[in-house]
Amino acid sequence: MADRVFAKFTFFKVDPAWRRRDAELRAADKAEFLAACEDFGIDRSLRAYSTIGTRGDVDLLLLSQSANLENLHTFHVVLGQSGLSKWMSVPHSYLSMTKRSPYSDEEARPEVCTSERKYLFVYPMVKKRRWYGLAPEERGRIMKSHIEVGRRYPEITINTTYSYGLDDQEFVVAFEGDDPGMFLDLVNELRPTESSEYTEREAPIFTCVAMSPRRALDALDGTASGVAAPASLS
């Protein structure tokens, strides 16, 4: 496994007209989309999340990861050829990369979002430019108190990936947890910390429900497609 990988957060929105198509046509559309997901997931990381009921502008999140950026490009080209993609738009898309945090002694995880927790809370983040004008020691001091707050919530796992020069945002932050209320309390406690004064933007925020790609696709129209997924994706 590579020390650093690319992470692509792709949010899809289905045209409401697709749900009025014949059930067999919808099932065929989903089968093509799922086949692309299964192929990519054979030897690379792919996670699926439903955002139905939590966001109005997106229905599905795919988090694809690879050490090779060309693999992500090819995967999304193949997805675009599926019948379902012809009925989809991509309102939000974030590209980032893993690397070790300069503010933590913990080893960087080569991949992100690998737990079995039920929810993912994800958002792009940009720091105010004056943050980078601070001395490294001062940034470290400020982040130490920020990290200490997070450690009081061990049931919440944070995944920070970096987008400098790769995309419009500077970071993509993704939290995994089983209790949305606990995440709400964590964010509430982080608001008055000194580090928050240097945050330029941390929106939009997505609350996502983790599930297999097959289940996430079936949630799009509330209909079980009958397409069997491999055991690793079920």
Side-chain angles (χ1 to χ4, degrees), residues 23-130:
E24 291 185 0
L25 295 176
R26 297 199 311 271
D29 290 342
K30 291 189 289 185
E32 292 178 3
F33 195 94
L34 180 60
C37 292
E38 291 175 355
D39 183 65
F40 181 86
I42 289 174
D43 55 2
R44 286 154 295 213
S45 177
L46 178 71
R47 303 297 298 270
Y49 305 85
S50 178
T51 53
I52 293 175
T54 65
R55 291 281 303 196
D57 55 346
V58 292
D59 299 315
L60 170 71
L61 163 63
L62 290 184
L63 168 55
S64 50
Q65 300 183 71
S66 175
N68 188 329
L69 188 57
E70 185 69 20
N71 289 337
L72 297 181
H73 166 74
T74 300
F75 172 50
H76 287 82
V77 169
V78 174
L79 278 181
Q81 296 171 345
S82 69
L84 182 57
S85 288
K86 295 177 175 61
W87 296 87
M88 284 178 153
S89 61
V90 180
H92 305 281
S93 172
Y94 307 109
L95 178 66
S96 57
M97 196 171 193
T98 60
K99 79 178 189 71
R100 184 172 181 173
S101 169
Y103 309 113
S104 174
D105 295 330
E106 297 179 2
E107 291 294 326
R109 281 169 286 172
E111 292 184 351
V112 298
C113 303
T114 57
S115 80
E116 297 303 319
R117 289 174 173 168
K118 187 174 182 180
Y119 298 102
L120 181 73
F121 310 93
V122 58
Y123 56 85
M125 182 178 180
V126 176
K127 286 283 195 180
K128 293 181 179 179
R129 191 54 60 93
R130 61 190 177 94

Side-chain angles (χ1 to χ4, degrees), residues 125-134 170-171 195-201:
M125 182 178 180
V126 176
K127 286 283 195 180
K128 293 181 179 179
R129 191 54 60 93
R130 61 190 177 94
W131 166 256
Y132 300 100
L134 298 176
E170 295 175 349
F171 314 90
S195 64
S196 67
E197 298 179 10
Y198 295 91
T199 298
E200 179 73 31
R201 175 171 59 87

Side-chain angles (χ1 to χ4, degrees), residues 143-190:
M143 287 304 300
K144 182 179 179 181
S145 62
H146 181 92
I147 293 170
E148 287 174 351
V149 172
R151 286 175 175 167
R152 292 202 286 271
Y153 294 82
E155 299 86 353
I156 303 293
T157 302
I158 183 172
N159 303 268
T160 301
T161 51
Y162 300 79
S163 299
Y164 297 115
L166 302 179
D167 208 337
D168 294 345
Q169 69 282 341
E170 295 175 349
F171 314 90
V172 180
V173 189
F175 296 83
E176 299 168 273
D178 292 318
D179 183 354
M182 186 175 295
F183 179 66
L184 184 151
D185 292 339
L186 168 59
V187 175
N188 184 64
E189 192 169 343
L190 287 172

